[in-house]
Amino acid sequence: MSEHITVGGVAVDTRHWIGGRRVASAATFTDVSPIDGAVLGEISRGGPAEVDAAVTAARAAFPGWAATSRAERAAVLNAVADGVEARLEELALVETLDNGALLRSHRRGVMPRVAHNFRFFAGWLLDLGREDFDTRGHTNHVTWDPAGPCALITPWNAPLMLATWKTAPALAAGNTVVLKPAEWSPLTASLLCDIAAAAGLPPGVLNVVQGYGAEAGTALVEHPGIRRISFTGSVPTARRIATTAAPNLTPLSLELGGKSPLLIFADADLDLAVDLAIEQYDNAGQVCLAATRLLVESTIEEEFTRRFLERAAALVQGDPRDEDTGIGPNIHPRQVEKIDGFVRRAVAAGARVLTGGGPNADLGGLYYRPTLLTGVAQDAEIVQEEVFGPVLTLQTFDTEDEAVDLANDTRFGLAATLATGSRERAERVSARLVAGTVWVNCFFVRDLQAPFGGSRESGVGREGGDWSFDFYCDIKNTVSAPNGWAPKGWNGHG
């Protein structure tokens, strides 16, 4: 196996990063670009041995990293952000080739956000804390103590952004990390290791083990040396992780799937509502937050649908490296098969295809046409289950109560979006929606100081701002008695 591959002119190491050095495995897995099916390289495939070595390295590095001052940790994280910015073009191109998302999005939004993840949590760390408070003359002093080695398991749809959304606060808190990136998009995690080492992150503080969930992932979450587990992915995988981690009572943060609604009321700006709906095709529909259920007030259904279909027809599908492309490929043949299965079963059950409905025969491979289905029942699979592809459903409602009931009638609760011209309605409806995030007349506006996570089966816990440090730390309260500092027998005179 070659230790390096060249992806878009960028050299990428195919080995794990453990204890500050590259480590190869005898077994490998093949990484393929979803753009054209080209093989990008053979990647080291880790298992229990590599995971144990990584956790051992993280445990050995933990005392030294935890003992560094907040200012020292913040300086290293800012240096990592500098490194990301210096290699932004390389990171953007490698990730586009690896997971098929739009190159312009990686350049303008995703990779700048990666750098911001490190800068934000470095800055937040410096201001973390609260005033001491009094209890009957006793002083309460709250501290955030590093918890220990953290297992971070990240998905393939936004690989580096979501990896650093977890890694940055974990490191800022004084923890060490073992990161397992998704096997369908592992390459930018390898580049991050090079950047972090160049920024001065000590050996063993960040470790990356590549491989499959059943092998590397399971070994990682069941390891007794892990003190925190943060996972973004599917509900079935989260259940397995929770079961595996239970014997060690390892605290979990789980950001899971969604089946989010977009509620469009008759008093909404209809052009804005169509913009919001079309935006749900972002990243070929591979966004956990996507509002894939369009709930439209019946009096505007016809006009909304006409405008939506015009906009959908204008979307350019093709190579994500092209500036004009609006929707690229899906990540993997298994994902396309899953998406198409949902659509075919929905049509067999009576759904009508208003646009799309299958793979793009002109492009072949992994390009699935942006799809809109109507005539679907509320209890239909296509309404209740996460597709994770460019597939939307359209349902209508007549009253505000009906809209809220439809919106809340799934087992998920990750996000919700609503379009309305009434501030009062927005306040009423938002208060009743079951969701971790509600967007009103906007979508995907995320601030790192805000809590992020899901309700119901969309997740456990919240991360962002103080919530990230609450999870990645052991929070301690030290209570001191009043006037308790004089040595025994001391009379107060010099």
Side-chain angles (χ1 to χ4, degrees):
M1 182 192 77
S2 173
E3 294 180 350
H4 288 85
I5 56 176
T6 301
V7 180
V10 180
V12 182
D13 201 301
T14 60
R15 296 169 293 176
H16 315 288
W17 180 252
I18 298 174
R21 64 185 185 90
R22 293 292 178 175
V23 176
S25 294
T28 65
F29 62 91
T30 304
D31 188 29
V32 176
S33 175
I35 297 175
D36 54 9
V39 172
L40 298 176
E42 296 297 319
I43 312 300
S44 278
R45 174 176 162 183
E50 291 84 356
V51 165
D52 185 62
V55 175
T56 298
R59 293 182 68 182
F62 172 66
W65 182 245
T68 59
S69 69
R70 291 186 178 190
E72 289 174 298
R73 294 202 298 269
V76 174
L77 295 184
N78 280 313
V80 174
D82 293 340
V84 169
E85 290 171 346
R87 301 188 66 179
L88 190 146
E89 285 292 324
E90 295 179 357
L91 292 166
L93 181 56
V94 170
E95 189 141 297
T96 290
L97 289 165
D98 204 17
N99 87 327
L102 300 184
L103 179 58
R104 70 167 189 261
S105 295
H106 281 139
R107 284 173 169 161
R108 299 172 191 171
V110 176
M111 294 308 160
R113 171 61 181 268
V114 169
H116 179 60
N117 284 343
F118 285 102
R119 293 204 194 284
F120 172 86
F121 285 107
W124 200 267
L125 169 66
L126 297 178
D127 294 330
L128 182 67
R130 59 173 296 171
E131 294 292 330
D132 291 352
F133 56 97
D134 180 82
T135 304
R136 298 187 302 277
H138 295 66
T139 300
N140 294 265
H141 179 67
V142 178
T143 54
W144 283 258
D145 296 346
C150 299
L152 310 181
I153 302 175
T154 53
W156 44 259
N157 59 323
L160 193 57
M161 191 275 284
L162 291 176
T164 56
W165 153 253
K166 299 175 186 297
T167 301
L171 296 179
N175 299 314
T176 52
V177 163
V178 180
L179 169 66
K180 202 222 64 88
E183 61 268 25
W184 287 352
S185 55
L187 300 184
T188 48
S190 180
L191 293 177
L192 177 64
C193 297
D194 298 332
I195 292 170
L201 195 69
V205 174
L206 171 64
N207 307 273
V208 172
V209 177
Q210 303 153 154
Y212 296 142
E215 299 169 355
T218 298
L220 184 56
V221 298
E222 71 183 6
H223 200 291
I226 291 296
R227 295 312 313 139
R228 293 291 188 275
I229 299 170
S230 181
F231 168 75
T232 297
S234 71
V235 173
T237 301
R239 287 198 175 101
R240 291 194 293 272
I241 288 173
T243 300
T244 303
N248 296 323
L249 294 178
T250 311
L252 300 168
S253 178
L254 305 174
E255 193 265 283
L256 310 178
K259 195 66 180 177
S260 302
L262 167 53
L263 295 79
I264 302 171
F265 291 91
D267 60 5
D269 177 329
L270 203 53
D271 287 333
L272 171 64
V274 172
D275 287 344
L276 293 173
I278 289 293
E279 197 173 351
Q280 309 313 311
Y281 289 134
D282 182 49
N283 201 18
Q286 299 167 141
V287 178
C288 58
L289 295 162
T292 56
R293 296 185 294 132
L294 309 183
L295 307 178
V296 181
E297 193 162 348
S298 56
T299 57
I300 61 169
E301 175 196 12
E302 184 176 346
E303 180 62 15
F304 170 84
T305 302
R306 182 186 69 80
R307 296 192 196 186
F308 178 90
L309 293 177
E310 286 180 357
R311 290 285 307 282
L315 280 174
V316 176
Q317 188 169 32
D319 192 318
R321 292 167 292 187
D322 294 342
E323 187 71 17
D324 293 335
T325 296
I327 181 169
N330 291 97
I331 184 77
H332 193 274
R334 290 213 306 266
Q335 189 65 19
V336 173
E337 182 181 354
K338 174 188 171 186
I339 294 165
D340 197 44
F342 271 111
V343 173
R344 286 187 285 103
R345 290 191 297 273
V347 171
R352 290 185 294 116
V353 178
L354 298 185
T355 189
N360 190 327
D362 295 332
L363 298 173
L366 305 183
Y367 294 81
Y368 202 88
R369 292 187 183 277
T371 296
L372 178 65
L373 304 176
T374 190
V376 293
Q378 179 61 23
D379 62 354
E381 177 194 52
I382 197 72
V383 173
Q384 294 293 325
E385 298 297 327
E386 184 178 44
V387 177
F388 222 61
V391 178
L392 310 181
T393 60
L394 189 152
Q395 298 168 272
T396 60
F397 62 86
D398 294 315
T399 68
E400 191 175 292
D401 285 344
E402 185 183 4
V404 172
D405 288 344
L406 289 171
N408 288 340
D409 188 21
T410 75
R411 59 195 175 92
F412 297 103
L414 187 55
T417 304
L418 64 113
T420 177
S422 167
R423 182 183 298 273
E424 292 75 18
R425 169 175 281 135
E427 292 174 350
R428 286 195 308 270
V429 173
S430 297
R432 297 174 63 191
L433 292 173
V434 179
T437 300
V438 177
W439 285 291
V440 179
N441 294 327
C442 61
F443 177 65
F444 221 169
V445 179
R446 286 183 59 186
D447 193 310
L448 287 178
Q449 65 185 312
F452 181 75
S455 304
R456 295 176 174 167
E457 291 191 16
S458 285
V460 175
R462 296 291 185 270
E463 294 188 42
D466 280 352
W467 291 272
S468 284
F469 286 97
D470 288 349
F471 173 69
Y472 288 111
C473 293
D474 289 325
I475 302 174
K476 179 192 297 176
N477 184 38
T478 301
V479 185
S480 299
N483 303 319
W485 305 114
K488 184 177 181 181
W490 186 61
N491 61 12
H493 299 288

PDB file of all heavy atoms in Angstrom, residues 397-411:
ATOM      1  N   PHE A 397     -52.162  21.985   4.535  1.00  0.00           N
ATOM      2  CA  PHE A 397     -52.925  22.143   5.770  1.00  0.00           C
ATOM      3  C   PHE A 397     -53.878  23.317   5.605  1.00  0.00           C
ATOM      4  O   PHE A 397     -53.692  24.178   4.733  1.00  0.00           O
ATOM      5  CB  PHE A 397     -51.994  22.355   6.968  1.00  0.00           C
ATOM      6  CG  PHE A 397     -51.154  23.601   6.873  1.00  0.00           C
ATOM      7  CD1 PHE A 397     -51.641  24.834   7.303  1.00  0.00           C
ATOM      8  CD2 PHE A 397     -49.852  23.553   6.361  1.00  0.00           C
ATOM      9  CE1 PHE A 397     -50.869  25.984   7.222  1.00  0.00           C
ATOM     10  CE2 PHE A 397     -49.075  24.697   6.278  1.00  0.00           C
ATOM     11  CZ  PHE A 397     -49.577  25.925   6.702  1.00  0.00           C
ATOM     12  N   ASP A 398     -54.888  23.364   6.466  1.00  0.00           N
ATOM     13  CA  ASP A 398     -55.880  24.444   6.410  1.00  0.00           C
ATOM     14  C   ASP A 398     -55.823  25.368   7.609  1.00  0.00           C
ATOM     15  O   ASP A 398     -56.241  26.520   7.523  1.00  0.00           O
ATOM     16  CB  ASP A 398     -57.300  23.849   6.295  1.00  0.00           C
ATOM     17  CG  ASP A 398     -57.517  23.128   4.973  1.00  0.00           C
ATOM     18  OD1 ASP A 398     -57.125  23.681   3.925  1.00  0.00           O
ATOM     19  OD2 ASP A 398     -58.057  22.000   4.986  1.00  0.00           O
ATOM     20  N   THR A 399     -55.336  24.874   8.732  1.00  0.00           N
ATOM     21  CA  THR A 399     -55.310  25.681   9.947  1.00  0.00           C
ATOM     22  C   THR A 399     -53.929  25.620  10.593  1.00  0.00           C
ATOM     23  O   THR A 399     -53.132  24.712  10.323  1.00  0.00           O
ATOM     24  CB  THR A 399     -56.355  25.197  10.971  1.00  0.00           C
ATOM     25  OG1 THR A 399     -55.967  23.897  11.459  1.00  0.00           O
ATOM     26  CG2 THR A 399     -57.746  25.132  10.350  1.00  0.00           C
ATOM     27  N   GLU A 400     -53.674  26.572  11.466  1.00  0.00           N
ATOM     28  CA  GLU A 400     -52.410  26.594  12.190  1.00  0.00           C
ATOM     29  C   GLU A 400     -52.236  25.348  13.050  1.00  0.00           C
ATOM     30  O   GLU A 400     -51.145  24.766  13.113  1.00  0.00           O
ATOM     31  CB  GLU A 400     -52.355  27.856  13.047  1.00  0.00           C
ATOM     32  CG  GLU A 400     -51.019  28.163  13.662  1.00  0.00           C
ATOM     33  CD  GLU A 400     -51.036  29.489  14.394  1.00  0.00           C
ATOM     34  OE1 GLU A 400     -51.146  30.541  13.729  1.00  0.00           O
ATOM     35  OE2 GLU A 400     -50.940  29.468  15.653  1.00  0.00           O
ATOM     36  N   ASP A 401     -53.318  24.939  13.709  1.00  0.00           N
ATOM     37  CA  ASP A 401     -53.255  23.734  14.539  1.00  0.00           C
ATOM     38  C   ASP A 401     -52.891  22.515  13.703  1.00  0.00           C
ATOM     39  O   ASP A 401     -52.078  21.673  14.123  1.00  0.00           O
ATOM     40  CB  ASP A 401     -54.588  23.496  15.247  1.00  0.00           C
ATOM     41  CG  ASP A 401     -54.816  24.441  16.408  1.00  0.00           C
ATOM     42  OD1 ASP A 401     -53.843  25.074  16.865  1.00  0.00           O
ATOM     43  OD2 ASP A 401     -55.967  24.559  16.861  1.00  0.00           O
ATOM     44  N   GLU A 402     -53.493  22.405  12.521  1.00  0.00           N
ATOM     45  CA  GLU A 402     -53.192  21.264  11.658  1.00  0.00           C
ATOM     46  C   GLU A 402     -51.741  21.291  11.216  1.00  0.00           C
ATOM     47  O   GLU A 402     -51.069  20.249  11.172  1.00  0.00           O
ATOM     48  CB  GLU A 402     -54.115  21.274  10.440  1.00  0.00           C
ATOM     49  CG  GLU A 402     -53.945  20.051   9.548  1.00  0.00           C
ATOM     50  CD  GLU A 402     -54.804  20.098   8.296  1.00  0.00           C
ATOM     51  OE1 GLU A 402     -55.492  21.123   8.072  1.00  0.00           O
ATOM     52  OE2 GLU A 402     -54.767  19.115   7.524  1.00  0.00           O
ATOM     53  N   ALA A 403     -51.224  22.470  10.912  1.00  0.00           N
ATOM     54  CA  ALA A 403     -49.829  22.594  10.497  1.00  0.00           C
ATOM     55  C   ALA A 403     -48.898  22.111  11.594  1.00  0.00           C
ATOM     56  O   ALA A 403     -47.934  21.367  11.334  1.00  0.00           O
ATOM     57  CB  ALA A 403     -49.522  24.041  10.132  1.00  0.00           C
ATOM     58  N   VAL A 404     -49.154  22.533  12.831  1.00  0.00           N
ATOM     59  CA  VAL A 404     -48.302  22.135  13.949  1.00  0.00           C
ATOM     60  C   VAL A 404     -48.405  20.635  14.191  1.00  0.00           C
ATOM     61  O   VAL A 404     -47.393  19.957  14.439  1.00  0.00           O
ATOM     62  CB  VAL A 404     -48.667  22.934  15.212  1.00  0.00           C
ATOM     63  CG1 VAL A 404     -47.930  22.381  16.427  1.00  0.00           C
ATOM     64  CG2 VAL A 404     -48.358  24.410  15.016  1.00  0.00           C
ATOM     65  N   ASP A 405     -49.632  20.096  14.110  1.00  0.00           N
ATOM     66  CA  ASP A 405     -49.807  18.658  14.324  1.00  0.00           C
ATOM     67  C   ASP A 405     -49.040  17.851  13.288  1.00  0.00           C
ATOM     68  O   ASP A 405     -48.368  16.860  13.623  1.00  0.00           O
ATOM     69  CB  ASP A 405     -51.300  18.298  14.270  1.00  0.00           C
ATOM     70  CG  ASP A 405     -52.067  18.785  15.485  1.00  0.00           C
ATOM     71  OD1 ASP A 405     -51.425  19.129  16.501  1.00  0.00           O
ATOM     72  OD2 ASP A 405     -53.307  18.837  15.416  1.00  0.00           O
ATOM     73  N   LEU A 406     -49.107  18.261  12.021  1.00  0.00           N
ATOM     74  CA  LEU A 406     -48.359  17.562  10.980  1.00  0.00           C
ATOM     75  C   LEU A 406     -46.854  17.687  11.209  1.00  0.00           C
ATOM     76  O   LEU A 406     -46.103  16.715  11.077  1.00  0.00           O
ATOM     77  CB  LEU A 406     -48.714  18.130   9.598  1.00  0.00           C
ATOM     78  CG  LEU A 406     -50.107  17.810   9.056  1.00  0.00           C
ATOM     79  CD1 LEU A 406     -50.378  18.625   7.793  1.00  0.00           C
ATOM     80  CD2 LEU A 406     -50.269  16.318   8.769  1.00  0.00           C
ATOM     81  N   ALA A 407     -46.412  18.880  11.565  1.00  0.00           N
ATOM     82  CA  ALA A 407     -44.986  19.115  11.770  1.00  0.00           C
ATOM     83  C   ALA A 407     -44.424  18.239  12.867  1.00  0.00           C
ATOM     84  O   ALA A 407     -43.299  17.708  12.760  1.00  0.00           O
ATOM     85  CB  ALA A 407     -44.748  20.584  12.097  1.00  0.00           C
ATOM     86  N   ASN A 408     -45.169  18.070  13.945  1.00  0.00           N
ATOM     87  CA  ASN A 408     -44.685  17.332  15.117  1.00  0.00           C
ATOM     88  C   ASN A 408     -44.911  15.829  15.035  1.00  0.00           C
ATOM     89  O   ASN A 408     -44.452  15.093  15.915  1.00  0.00           O
ATOM     90  CB  ASN A 408     -45.355  17.863  16.385  1.00  0.00           C
ATOM     91  CG  ASN A 408     -44.845  19.238  16.779  1.00  0.00           C
ATOM     92  OD1 ASN A 408     -43.764  19.657  16.370  1.00  0.00           O
ATOM     93  ND2 ASN A 408     -45.618  19.952  17.580  1.00  0.00           N
ATOM     94  N   ASP A 409     -45.601  15.370  14.002  1.00  0.00           N
ATOM     95  CA  ASP A 409     -46.016  13.974  13.944  1.00  0.00           C
ATOM     96  C   ASP A 409     -44.970  13.075  13.277  1.00  0.00           C
ATOM     97  O   ASP A 409     -45.218  12.421  12.271  1.00  0.00           O
ATOM     98  CB  ASP A 409     -47.351  13.861  13.204  1.00  0.00           C
ATOM     99  CG  ASP A 409     -47.931  12.451  13.276  1.00  0.00           C
ATOM    100  OD1 ASP A 409     -47.538  11.693  14.194  1.00  0.00           O
ATOM    101  OD2 ASP A 409     -48.754  12.096  12.401  1.00  0.00           O
ATOM    102  N   THR A 410     -43.756  13.076  13.824  1.00  0.00           N
ATOM    103  CA  THR A 410     -42.741  12.073  13.493  1.00  0.00           C
ATOM    104  C   THR A 410     -41.997  11.758  14.786  1.00  0.00           C
ATOM    105  O   THR A 410     -42.197  12.418  15.812  1.00  0.00           O
ATOM    106  CB  THR A 410     -41.722  12.573  12.441  1.00  0.00           C
ATOM    107  OG1 THR A 410     -40.814  13.489  13.057  1.00  0.00           O
ATOM    108  CG2 THR A 410     -42.401  13.213  11.243  1.00  0.00           C
ATOM    109  N   ARG A 411     -41.107  10.781  14.727  1.00  0.00           N
ATOM    110  CA  ARG A 411     -40.333  10.431  15.920  1.00  0.00           C
ATOM    111  C   ARG A 411     -39.095  11.304  16.070  1.00  0.00           C
ATOM    112  O   ARG A 411     -38.328  11.137  17.016  1.00  0.00           O
ATOM    113  CB  ARG A 411     -39.943   8.951  15.890  1.00  0.00           C
ATOM    114  CG  ARG A 411     -39.120   8.535  14.695  1.00  0.00           C
ATOM    115  CD  ARG A 411     -39.079   7.006  14.550  1.00  0.00           C
ATOM    116  NE  ARG A 411     -38.404   6.576  13.344  1.00  0.00           N
ATOM    117  CZ  ARG A 411     -37.121   6.286  13.254  1.00  0.00           C
ATOM    118  NH1 ARG A 411     -36.347   6.381  14.322  1.00  0.00           N
ATOM    119  NH2 ARG A 411     -36.588   5.893  12.116  1.00  0.00           N
TER     120      ARG A 411
END
